[in-house]
Amino acid sequence: MKFFHLSDLHIGLKLMNRDLREDQEYILRQITENAGREQPDAIVIAGDIYDKAVPSAEAVEVFDRFISELTKAVPSAVIMMIGGNHDSAPRVNCFRSVLSRQNLYMVGQPPRTETEYIEKVTCTDAYGKVNFYLLPFVKPSMVKGVVGVDENGNNFSYNESLRRLIARETIDQSERNVLVSHQFYLPKGVAAEDVERMDSEISTVGNIDAITADVLERFDYAALGHIHKPMKVGNERFRYCGTPLACSVSEAGQTKGIVMVELGAKCIGSEGEDADLKITVLSLIPLRQVRIIKGPLVEVLRQASSDYVTVILTDKTDLEVIDMQERLRLAFPNLLEIRRERVRAADYNAERYVEEDMDPYELCCAFLKDADEAEKEILKNVIRTVQERQVG
């Protein structure tokens, strides 16, 4: 069984107010071309179809054209997709039963009642069945009617909710099983703060949405979405494919692609019964790269480009160039931002102060060594106001 693993299309995304429609259409055409060339049996999109819960008419038009072209390129393929945290679950779920008759499965909502289970789509090949379990983005509040609540009547954690939800499923281990999920899974023994996250991702305070990846071990492959950088989750079989197109400057320099999965026969190995697996990453080349160019102004201008560029100027002295921004925008028509790198040398010969012996004003002045007289006067007034309120 050959299938494409994609996720996080984020159709309708703007990159620092730059409209990416042309770039997204360009990359979606590449996906369609790859599908036509490879003829996969199935195509999986693991969430975040759109960038917003209520997508614009233009975003819906882009998605509609993509699916239409995809079904023409691979008319016999089963296309499956789930809702992500950026998507509207009811909207993705709309016409679910009608679309499934056309081999197009769009699942926006997880099970919400005790009679509902994770949507399972079964495909067959020469080796038998492959069961795809389609689990859209889950919050504990969404599934409390299925998994219950704790002894105090509170929702279970993300981790416990997902475990209970998957544990309800009757998974035949003699068959090949694939989970399609849009959550934050952690390799065993890895702390959430040690996982590199991209600026374009939505992170929860305290990483309360983290789920330990051992819950995936019942599956032969986990096609995951939500993390924007391609990443394995402690195992070759469990992985994030990443975004097909950079969604933020933090993704500059990343290689993007389609994860093509080939599941062979189920076989018994030293670690149990697994399906034979082959992974190939089909590279996607964007219309414009997202880049960071760093250096003195003169050197930066020599690297003129139509890419999406963040410029970091490292000139040590103030630039007395009246038309600096205009020159940069001419050199980089898709300029995202201009930053200045300011390096303040440590003054090791300065008198060492003992903080507890200093009043608040002296402490602030010691920290802000370059404050002028006007700034010091403002500082005095601020400190005086705070002290008066504390006394009052």
Side-chain angles (χ1 to χ4, degrees):
M1 176 73 61
K2 180 196 291 186
F3 63 91
F4 279 9
H5 170 197
L6 295 157
S7 77
D8 296 270
L9 305 183
H10 286 279
I11 297 173
L13 173 79
K14 292 186 186 298
L15 180 61
M16 292 190 180
N17 293 321
R18 291 279 180 181
D19 190 343
L20 294 183
R21 175 170 180 167
E22 185 183 16
D23 303 83
Q24 291 187 323
E25 288 178 327
Y26 184 86
I27 218 74
L28 293 174
R29 279 196 298 272
Q30 280 191 51
I31 293 170
T32 301
E33 290 165 5
N34 273 282
R37 186 164 49 252
E38 294 291 342
Q39 289 296 305
D41 302 296
I43 296 168
V44 168
I45 302 173
D48 281 354
I49 299 162
Y50 295 109
D51 190 57
K52 296 186 183 304
V54 183
S56 66
E58 291 79 9
V60 174
E61 184 181 344
V62 170
F63 177 64
D64 177 66
R65 184 178 297 114
F66 171 54
I67 296 300
S68 297
E69 294 301 319
L70 205 54
T71 53
K72 289 178 186 176
V74 277
S76 61
V78 179
I79 300 175
M80 295 168 272
M81 64 192 80
I82 60 172
N85 58 304
H86 279 255
D87 296 311
S88 163
R91 283 183 171 82
V92 174
N93 229 53
C94 195
F95 306 120
R96 179 166 160 179
S97 59
V98 175
L99 293 172
S100 64
R101 298 173 204 159
Q102 310 301 320
N103 273 348
L104 177 59
Y105 296 85
M106 294 182 65
V107 181
Q109 292 174 325
R112 291 170 294 163
T113 67
E114 291 183 356
T115 60
E116 295 178 340
Y117 289 84
I118 298 172
E119 177 89 5
K120 183 174 77 170
V121 177
T122 300
C123 303
T124 57
D125 64 4
Y127 301 109
K129 294 180 180 179
V130 178
N131 303 306
F132 291 85
Y133 289 83
L134 309 181
L135 180 60
F137 178 68
V138 173
K139 287 183 178 180
S141 59
M142 295 176 177
V143 295
K144 66 180 181 181
V146 180
V147 303
V149 293
D150 66 16
E151 64 275 10
N152 297 317
N154 298 319
N155 294 334
F156 286 112
S157 66
Y158 277 82
N159 190 44
E160 185 63 22
S161 295
L162 261 291
R163 287 180 176 282
R164 288 172 176 252
L165 200 61
I166 291 173
R168 298 172 71 243
E169 301 296 322
T170 303
I171 299 174
D172 187 344
Q173 299 298 326
S174 68
E175 298 174 348
R176 291 163 295 168
N177 300 290
V178 176
L179 176 68
V180 184
S181 179
H182 191 96
Q183 302 284 162
F184 179 27
Y185 291 97
L186 279 176
K188 187 176 180 180
V190 175
E193 54 270 20
D194 293 335
V195 176
E196 185 182 7
R197 305 294 297 272
M198 301 297 103
D199 293 343
S200 49
E201 298 172 26
I202 294 177
S203 300
T204 59
V205 176
N207 292 303
I208 61 169
D209 59 341
I211 300 160
T212 49
D214 58 344
V215 73
L216 305 174
E217 290 174 1
R218 298 175 69 189
F219 300 93
D220 297 286
Y221 184 82
L224 306 177
H226 190 46
I227 302 297
H228 288 183
K229 180 180 179 179
M231 185 180 89
K232 299 174 190 175
V233 188
N235 191 309
E236 184 77 15
R237 298 173 177 275
F238 313 141
R239 60 172 67 208
Y240 291 98
C241 60
T243 56
L245 185 72
C247 295
S248 64
V249 175
S250 62
E251 295 169 60
Q254 287 183 12
T255 300
K256 302 294 188 179
I258 304 162
V259 175
M260 184 169 72
V261 182
E262 295 177 77
L263 274 179
K266 197 94 170 182
C267 56
I268 299 175
S270 58
E271 297 182 0
E273 195 173 2
D274 289 313
D276 184 39
L277 179 73
K278 180 183 177 183
I279 300 288
T280 308
V281 178
L282 308 176
S283 296
L284 294 171
I285 310 301
L287 180 63
R288 304 173 186 90
Q289 296 281 355
V290 174
R291 299 170 57 202
I292 298 172
I293 298 179
K294 183 176 179 179
L297 177 62
V298 175
E299 292 182 13
V300 166
L301 289 171
R302 293 194 190 112
Q303 302 178 60
S305 168
S306 61
D307 290 334
Y308 294 112
V309 171
T310 284
V311 167
I312 302 176
L313 297 174
T314 61
D315 300 80
K316 298 297 188 291
T317 57
D318 288 336
L319 293 170
E320 297 181 1
V321 183
I322 297 174
D323 60 346
M324 178 186 71
Q325 287 196 23
E326 184 180 349
R327 289 170 65 185
L328 284 169
R329 294 187 186 284
L330 284 172
F332 304 102
N334 290 303
L335 182 68
L336 297 175
E337 59 180 338
I338 304 168
R339 301 182 195 167
R340 290 293 306 274
E341 183 179 71
R342 296 188 181 276
V343 179
R344 182 178 296 192
D347 184 3
Y348 295 107
N349 296 318
E351 180 182 354
R352 295 181 179 273
Y353 294 95
V354 180
E355 293 183 4
E356 55 266 31
D357 293 337
M358 300 168 67
D359 64 33
Y361 174 71
E362 291 173 334
L363 190 60
C364 290
C365 288
F367 181 74
L368 302 171
K369 293 184 173 67
D370 298 335
D372 57 28
E373 291 305 315
E375 290 168 335
K376 288 180 180 179
E377 191 60 35
I378 293 172
L379 185 59
K380 282 181 183 177
N381 291 333
V382 170
I383 293 171
R384 188 183 303 113
T385 302
V386 171
Q387 289 174 332
E388 288 172 355
R389 290 186 177 180
Q390 286 177 334
V391 172

